[in-house]
Amino acid sequence: MPNTGTKNALLLTTALLVLVNLIPVIGVLFWDWSVYTLVLLFWAENLIVGAFNVARMWVLWRLRNDSKMIVMIPFFCLHYGLFMLVHLMFLIWMFRPEGESVLPLGVLWVPFLALAVSHGVSFFTHFMGRGEYKEAKPDDLMSLPYARVLVLHVTILVGGFLVAYMGEPLVALIVLVMAKILIDVAAHRREHLRNLTRIALEGEKRANRDFPAWDEPAANRVPDTVPDPKDLMRAIASEARSLEAEHDRYRAVARRDIAILAVAGLIMALAMIIWGGASLIAAFASAAIVASLLGFFRVPKLGERWIGQVNEQVLPALCERVEGMHHEATMRREFLKPFEKLEVIGDQWNRSVFGPFFRGRLSGTDFEFGQATLTRKSGGKNSSTELIFRGLLLRIRLPFEVKDRVLVTGKSMLSGRRHMVNVDLNDETFHDTFATYVAQDHPDPEGLARSVLLPEWRSALVAINQAQSGGSGPHAAIQAGFIHDSLYLTLRRFSVEPVGQGGTTMLRPGREFFQVPLKLFSEPDIESDLAGMVDDLLTAHRIVDQLPLIQGGQA
């Protein structure tokens, strides 16, 4: 987590940001600034944001030798420049009073320079001084300014239009400036707290070994059999009743917010038609876009808060009733490192959402697991998000030592394994679903694979895959990597759907683990959703129970 010095630096740059943004208040009070002057200054600040974003890209090019920046810098300048030009033309058309200068430079140069100083201090304090450039991702830099413009200027444009309509009263102008300050401060702190936390976690991750040792098990009693889900459901009956009432409250709030956004959009459309001279289609289209954008941010946030509350209320209660089970609210980033090192999951992702994390024991075998969603977001004009992995990451303690990497992956993923060689174990049932890889520099790859993947282990992995995939053909729901004293296993849910003619199928992501969704327009079934959560919690117990952890040979 960020240390005291880091938090002090963030406090300093936040204070400077607020101080500089108070200059427009002085302009409104003493220099008779209009709405046009304010929105023009906010537009000019985006030029500063874009300039420092180019500086960030240049740093990645020069200090990290990222050759992609040679192409990305001119592309960003052209794309962002055109965006800013169109934005300026829109502001001039919408807000400039008759007879006022298009660019009142004599008024704006002082606040413009002050804003440039504020962004410069933030750049040298956080990006350079605190080392954000070491972990910065090129795709993030490409999209970063646009995210700020979208959130800030939808608010500013709507507010500016309303202030102009009211005749630009002094109080309304100041409220507009204060709204901008609040959005700026929230965005500034969110960006840098996220970056600083990531830097701290990356430093902690690098300090650990690639494959961490197991903690000594606690002395408390642990179960010898998989706990009964019905007993656990009876144990959380009171939590289920409480959550039903909470779900109704969340749903009422979401529906109210949607109604408010719809009414606000309607009022905005009517105002644009009556006082702005806009056409019916343009007015309602603009209002619908604004309302949809605001709803797009608000409703998912409510859903996230609901899921967080469910996990916070239910999971600790469940773990108290499963002997030997321990729970953490969020899986740590460093837990992923062995899975990446073994190539059980790829390293192509650049976005992550981590769910709950658990440690437990069954019949003397230690295990730990967590939930993660990993995606890759591409920047640029055709921005898209690709799901890389969504499911459980499970680590199980082995009763024998594996001296080199052994990987079991889906048969459809035969390529792309760096420094590994494919081994055929002459097991048709096993190889209908899985392929086996061993480190290519090992003196006897086939001997290593056979000593680890004994027949009973291959049968167990096939049985686990069939149970977790619902028997949906030769598709791998699990992948596994063996190294030292640990089995690293990933589990994902999917559904197999037909595509067109000829028996072609495709896999679609299935139900997420540990998710009780917020249902806005259908009746909730909290008891059924909680039963699914209990089943998710016991997944690791069932897998451990199926593995031949007593019979493993030395590898």
Side-chain angles (χ1 to χ4, degrees), residues 36-245:
Y36 179 63
T37 305
L38 287 176
V39 297
L40 202 60
L41 177 62
F42 299 154
W43 171 86
E45 186 180 3
N46 281 332
L47 290 178
I48 300 170
V49 171
F52 277 106
N53 202 55
V54 172
R56 290 185 178 95
M57 293 179 176
W58 186 87
V59 169
L60 262 62
W61 174 33
R62 303 301 297 175
L63 298 187
R64 283 177 34 183
N65 297 316
D66 192 332
S67 59
K68 289 194 299 184
M69 295 298 104
I70 299 174
V71 176
M72 288 186 69
I73 289 175
F75 177 79
F76 173 81
C77 291
L78 177 62
H79 191 275
Y80 193 71
L82 289 173
F83 174 82
M84 290 295 294
L85 179 61
V86 172
H87 192 187
L88 175 62
M89 293 172 63
F90 179 77
L91 294 179
I92 293 172
W93 170 76
M94 189 169 184
F95 291 107
R96 185 171 75 93
E98 186 175 349
E100 186 166 335
S101 172
V102 173
L103 293 175
L105 300 179
V107 174
L108 294 179
W109 72 268
V110 171
F112 180 82
L113 289 179
L115 286 167
V117 169
S118 173
H119 284 275
V121 170
S122 179
F123 172 80
F124 286 105
T125 300
H126 297 298
F127 196 76
M128 299 300 297
R130 293 287 169 182
E132 287 184 2
Y133 74 91
K134 298 176 183 177
E135 308 297 338
K137 299 181 184 299
D139 289 343
D140 290 352
L141 294 184
M142 191 67 197
S143 59
L144 182 63
Y146 296 98
R148 178 189 185 277
V149 171
L150 177 65
V151 176
L152 175 63
H153 281 270
V154 165
T155 305
I156 295 301
L157 289 176
V158 174
F161 181 84
L162 293 176
V163 171
Y165 166 69
M166 291 187 292
E168 301 189 8
L170 186 65
V171 173
L173 288 170
I174 294 176
V175 168
L176 179 62
V177 175
M178 299 309 294
K180 190 263 184 184
I181 292 175
L182 291 174
I183 293 172
D184 259 0
V185 168
H188 178 76
R189 291 185 62 82
R190 182 171 62 250
E191 175 190 349
H192 294 296
L193 276 175
R194 181 178 65 244
N195 289 339
L196 294 170
T197 301
R198 182 171 62 190
I199 291 169
L201 289 176
E202 289 294 326
E204 181 182 345
K205 181 189 75 169
R206 283 191 292 268
N208 294 331
R209 50 188 295 226
D210 287 343
F211 302 102
W214 287 92
D215 296 330
E216 287 301 316
N220 58 321
R221 183 173 175 270
V222 295
D224 293 324
T225 59
V226 178
D228 188 345
K230 294 180 181 178
D231 291 341
L232 295 180
M233 285 298 296
R234 284 192 289 269
I236 60 168
S238 60
E239 283 84 358
R241 289 190 294 271
S242 171
L243 286 173
E244 287 177 352

Side-chain angles (χ1 to χ4, degrees), residues 257-293:
D257 290 351
I258 291 172
I260 291 173
L261 289 173
V263 172
L266 179 62
I267 294 173
M268 178 182 170
L270 293 175
M272 292 177 68
I273 294 170
I274 296 172
W275 292 285
S279 67
L280 185 67
I281 295 177
F284 277 97
S286 300
I289 291 172
V290 172
S292 299
L293 285 172

Side-chain angles (χ1 to χ4, degrees), residues 337-503:
K337 184 175 181 180
F339 293 87
E340 293 177 300
K341 189 75 174 177
L342 284 166
E343 298 188 70
V344 180
I345 56 173
D347 57 1
Q348 306 89 0
W349 54 276
N350 55 19
R351 294 286 193 282
S352 60
V353 178
F354 297 139
F357 181 77
F358 306 89
R359 289 189 178 92
R361 300 190 85 204
L362 178 68
S363 301
T365 297
D366 297 302
F367 61 87
E368 51 189 14
F369 66 101
Q371 185 268 336
T373 299
L374 309 175
T375 56
R376 176 174 180 78
K377 182 175 174 125
S378 60
K381 184 177 180 180
N382 299 317
S383 177
S384 62
T385 300
E386 176 188 2
L387 180 64
I388 302 298
F389 174 80
R390 188 174 73 191
L392 292 186
L393 304 167
L394 174 61
R395 181 190 181 205
I396 301 170
R397 193 169 195 166
L398 296 173
F400 53 91
E401 181 77 10
V402 182
K403 293 182 172 60
D404 213 336
R405 293 181 295 162
V406 176
L407 176 64
V408 176
T409 185
K411 189 176 65 172
S412 61
M413 305 174 185
L414 287 174
S415 60
R417 301 296 165 184
R418 293 168 292 191
H419 312 299
M420 302 193 82
V421 60
N422 183 237
V423 175
D424 187 353
L425 298 175
N426 299 316
D427 186 332
E428 185 176 345
T429 302
F430 182 75
H431 286 303
D432 277 346
T433 303
F434 297 113
T436 306
Y437 292 88
V438 175
Q440 67 180 13
D441 56 357
H442 192 274
D444 184 12
E446 184 174 346
L448 176 62
R450 290 188 179 279
S451 65
V452 174
L453 293 170
L454 300 174
E456 55 267 28
W457 270 91
R458 299 198 294 269
S459 298
L461 291 175
V462 169
I464 291 170
N465 186 73
Q466 289 178 341
Q468 298 300 329
S469 66
S472 55
H475 300 287
I478 64 171
Q479 295 193 89
F482 297 79
I483 189 68
H484 302 319
D485 60 351
S486 298
L487 164 63
Y488 294 90
L489 187 143
T490 64
L491 169 61
R492 61 194 180 111
R493 285 196 176 121
F494 55 79
S495 60
V496 181
E497 299 182 3
V499 179
Q501 304 295 325

